[in-house]
Amino acid sequence: MTDPSRPATGYPVNSGQHLNGYPPPATMYPPPPPANPGYYYPPNRRNSRLRRIMAALIVVTVIFFVIFFICWLVIRPHRPQFHVTALSVSNFNISASSQRLTGRWNARFQIYNPNKKLKLSYDDIVCWIFYRSEILSETRIPPFKQDTKNVTSVDASFSALDAYVDGAANEIDSDMRRGAVGFNLRLIADVGFKIKGVRARRRVLRVWCDNVAVSFSGNGGSGNLTGGARECQVLA
């Protein structure tokens, strides 16, 4: 028999029931916070707008270069080809003692446009004749246009009257005694490339024609190109 006056020594069997109207004491601590709590930042509209603008600029730039590359593949621009086909000298006189030179030169350039779709227009054409690095005379050539796959001949005339040539007279006289003098021709032109009437681009062409040899006759006053046509180097 259990003594009703003996105090209870155990826990209530039903832990879900309140004792004397009070809830049972808490036996667990609250859960710890997460190790890496996440923080919420509101979106920055200005940064989002800048990113969209930058992405659009990159896309437009890529499209532009793709179109440019395709056009370049279709058009295939090529520089014109220059040859000196004739060079004559008349009334040529050189004085080694006074370093003076007199003479007239007539040069002919043959120019070929190798492009299939690009027409060329030549403007501001300036031409010089040299002996080595010494300028003997300068002239200008009238502007002209050139169709596709076209060959054009252009003439240039030079003259020098009692011109002073510092240090070159002795060498020219020596070359003449050997029978031939090598002249250098330089040409610079502002060239426009056009396709179907639309101007595509402009370039400054530099043409170097080196050591164009002229053989002189016995009297030494006149001479003509020797050795055939000379190909020129074209730089753009």
Side-chain angles (χ1 to χ4, degrees), residues 70-82:
I70 293 174
C71 292
W72 182 87
L73 288 178
V74 173
I75 297 174
R76 291 279 185 155
H78 297 283
R79 287 174 287 190
Q81 301 170 6
F82 282 71

Side-chain angles (χ1 to χ4, degrees), residues 83-90 92 104-110 127-131 136 154-159 181-186 209-216 222-230:
H83 288 81
V84 178
T85 58
L87 178 61
S88 62
V89 182
S90 61
F92 194 77
R104 291 183 60 85
W105 296 262
N106 290 296
R108 173 163 291 180
F109 296 93
Q110 187 181 81
C127 192
W128 297 267
I129 188 164
F130 289 75
Y131 175 79
L136 304 180
V154 176
D155 294 330
S157 297
F158 308 87
S159 64
V181 179
F183 296 100
N184 299 326
L185 296 169
R186 300 284 186 267
C209 311
D210 292 333
N211 197 25
V212 182
V214 172
S215 61
F216 285 87
S222 61
N224 289 283
L225 175 69
T226 183
R230 291 299 182 93

Side-chain angles (χ1 to χ4, degrees), residues 78-82 111-115 117-123 144-148 150 191-195 201 205:
H78 297 283
R79 287 174 287 190
Q81 301 170 6
F82 282 71
I111 307 168
Y112 172 60
N113 177 14
N115 294 285
K117 298 183 179 182
L118 287 172
K119 298 181 180 181
L120 306 181
S121 61
Y122 298 79
D123 301 292
F144 65 96
K145 300 182 184 299
Q146 193 172 32
D147 207 345
T148 58
N150 178 260
V191 181
F193 293 76
K194 296 181 180 180
I195 177 171
R201 66 174 70 180
L205 292 185

Side-chain angles (χ1 to χ4, degrees), residues 145-193:
K145 300 182 184 299
Q146 193 172 32
D147 207 345
T148 58
K149 292 291 184 177
N150 178 260
V151 178
T152 304
S153 294
V154 176
D155 294 330
S157 297
F158 308 87
S159 64
L161 179 61
D162 201 29
Y164 178 70
V165 284
D166 186 17
N170 291 331
E171 297 175 354
I172 295 174
D173 184 65
S174 177
D175 289 346
M176 288 183 64
R177 294 178 186 277
R178 286 194 291 266
V181 179
F183 296 100
N184 299 326
L185 296 169
R186 300 284 186 267
L187 185 146
I188 294 180
D190 182 17
V191 181
F193 293 76

